[in-house]
Amino acid sequence: LYRSEDNPAAHLGGRTSRIGLAESTDGIHFRKFPAPVLYPGKDGFEQYDAPGGCEDPRVVITEDGTYIMAYTSWNYKTPRLSIAFSKDLETWEKKGPAFAKAYDGKFKDIATKSGSIITQKVGDNFVAAKINGKYWMYWGEAGVNLAWSENGYDWYPELDESGALHYLITPRKGKFDSNLTECGPPAILTNEGITLLYNGKNHDSLANASPDLPPGTYSVGRVVFDPKDLKTVLSRPEKPFLFPTLPHEIKGQYKAGTTFAEGLVFFKGKWFLYYGTADSFVGLAVGE
């Protein structure tokens, strides 16, 4: 599942995004389906999805075969983390903003995005994990928060003692993630702990940015949380493991440079990491 935009003549942020479907037998060469599978429509969610559209899909499957997509609804005013369900990846049922019901709607109308639901290996597949009877999701852009759900679509963020969002990691001055720490692909329960790949944005100000990357650059880091306490950080990198180097990663809509991870698949014994490049192409990195 990938994000695409209409009207290439429009300015960045002035288009409508839709989510398309493509398939591959080798994970590298894809055939696109002719029509988008998730998009703004007269469906009761237009106030959230239009005119900016549906962006940034992150997809998991549950043990009963239901696909859950966390995506961004963009109405040109407030980006909202939204949820949709499917049984076949083609027909999707929108569930609306993820935090609509939580705490009497306290977080329904604030900017939210980038939901990475925790998964674990069951047989040969990675499925949405139920921990203590609940689904869990790391999410956020300005900082990483943790949220839980019993049904996969009504989510409740973790709060601090004052009732504000409790951020587990936040931007660090002078590092690759000095401006943003935006969640990437669905998190994975591994032998090390719960591994979350996240997209760090370097600060636009030289005084706050990492000197190793151009200002504004998006690169990818890896943080590991304690599986016994999902809020505790076990390790966090000083430097990214993936950053823009190729021509199409530094030339496009977002010219500061972008490697923005969103999809991670274990396929034929290897990890396939799919990432956005300068808001213009989908890139792929393969590792053991």
Side-chain angles (χ1 to χ4, degrees):
L1 290 140
Y2 64 96
R3 168 200 175 191
S4 58
E5 295 178 312
D6 62 6
N7 190 10
H11 63 88
L12 178 63
R15 305 164 184 164
T16 298
S17 293
R18 297 171 180 85
I19 295 174
L21 181 66
E23 66 178 3
S24 172
T25 57
D26 62 6
I28 301 171
H29 305 93
F30 282 82
R31 179 185 71 86
K32 294 188 291 185
F33 284 58
V37 296
L38 195 75
Y39 46 86
K42 304 294 183 180
D43 51 16
F45 301 98
E46 187 177 13
Q47 61 179 309
Y48 308 117
D49 293 343
C54 305
E55 304 180 351
D56 300 336
R58 290 143 166 91
V59 182
V60 299
I61 189 170
T62 65
E63 289 197 64
D64 71 359
T66 300
Y67 293 97
I68 304 176
M69 182 196 298
Y71 70 98
T72 303
S73 294
W74 176 225
N75 63 3
Y76 283 177
K77 296 178 182 178
T78 304
R80 289 177 176 84
L81 179 59
S82 291
I83 303 293
F85 276 22
S86 178
K87 283 291 188 179
D88 60 6
L89 295 176
E90 293 187 63
T91 301
W92 290 88
E93 176 190 1
K94 293 179 183 176
K95 297 291 189 178
F99 304 131
K101 293 184 179 179
Y103 313 110
D104 297 321
K106 180 177 181 178
F107 300 106
K108 177 184 176 182
D109 295 322
I110 70 167
T112 57
K113 61 192 309 188
S114 305
S116 302
I117 297 172
I118 297 175
T119 63
Q120 65 181 356
K121 193 171 185 181
V122 177
D124 293 329
N125 299 312
F126 283 86
V127 304
K130 276 212 164 180
I131 301 170
N132 298 324
K134 298 175 182 177
Y135 297 112
W136 297 85
M137 170 176 70
Y138 295 107
W139 69 277
E141 179 186 44
V144 172
N145 181 262
L146 180 67
W148 60 268
S149 174
E150 294 180 337
N151 57 22
Y153 54 88
D154 292 319
W155 291 86
Y156 292 79
E158 288 285 323
L159 308 181
D160 62 21
E161 293 180 356
S162 70
L165 294 173
H166 177 204
Y167 290 118
L168 312 180
I169 65 169
T170 55
R172 300 173 294 181
K173 183 178 180 179
K175 305 295 183 184
F176 72 94
D177 51 11
S178 49
N179 187 251
L180 293 174
T181 55
E182 187 166 353
C183 293
I188 300 173
L189 182 60
T190 69
N191 292 333
E192 292 180 88
I194 296 174
T195 298
L196 172 69
L197 304 186
Y198 72 97
N199 300 293
K201 182 182 179 184
N202 201 21
H203 209 282
D204 293 321
S205 164
L206 289 175
N208 295 308
S210 165
D212 299 329
L213 296 166
T217 296
Y218 277 95
S219 56
V220 186
R222 176 177 174 271
V223 61
V224 180
F225 293 95
D226 189 341
K228 296 179 181 178
D229 178 7
L230 308 183
K231 299 186 289 291
T232 297
V233 175
L234 296 180
S235 65
R236 183 179 179 185
E238 293 296 305
K239 298 181 181 295
F241 70 86
L242 186 69
F243 51 90
T245 57
L246 302 175
H248 61 280
E249 295 170 350
I250 54 177
K251 293 180 180 178
Q253 289 192 69
Y254 192 78
K255 295 179 175 60
T258 308
T259 50
F260 189 94
E262 290 200 45
L264 182 65
V265 181
F266 192 66
F267 182 61
K268 295 186 177 180
K270 295 183 178 180
W271 289 103
F272 284 57
L273 177 63
Y274 298 91
Y275 61 95
T277 69
D279 274 20
S280 298
F281 294 98
V282 176
L284 169 64
V286 181
E288 299 295 336

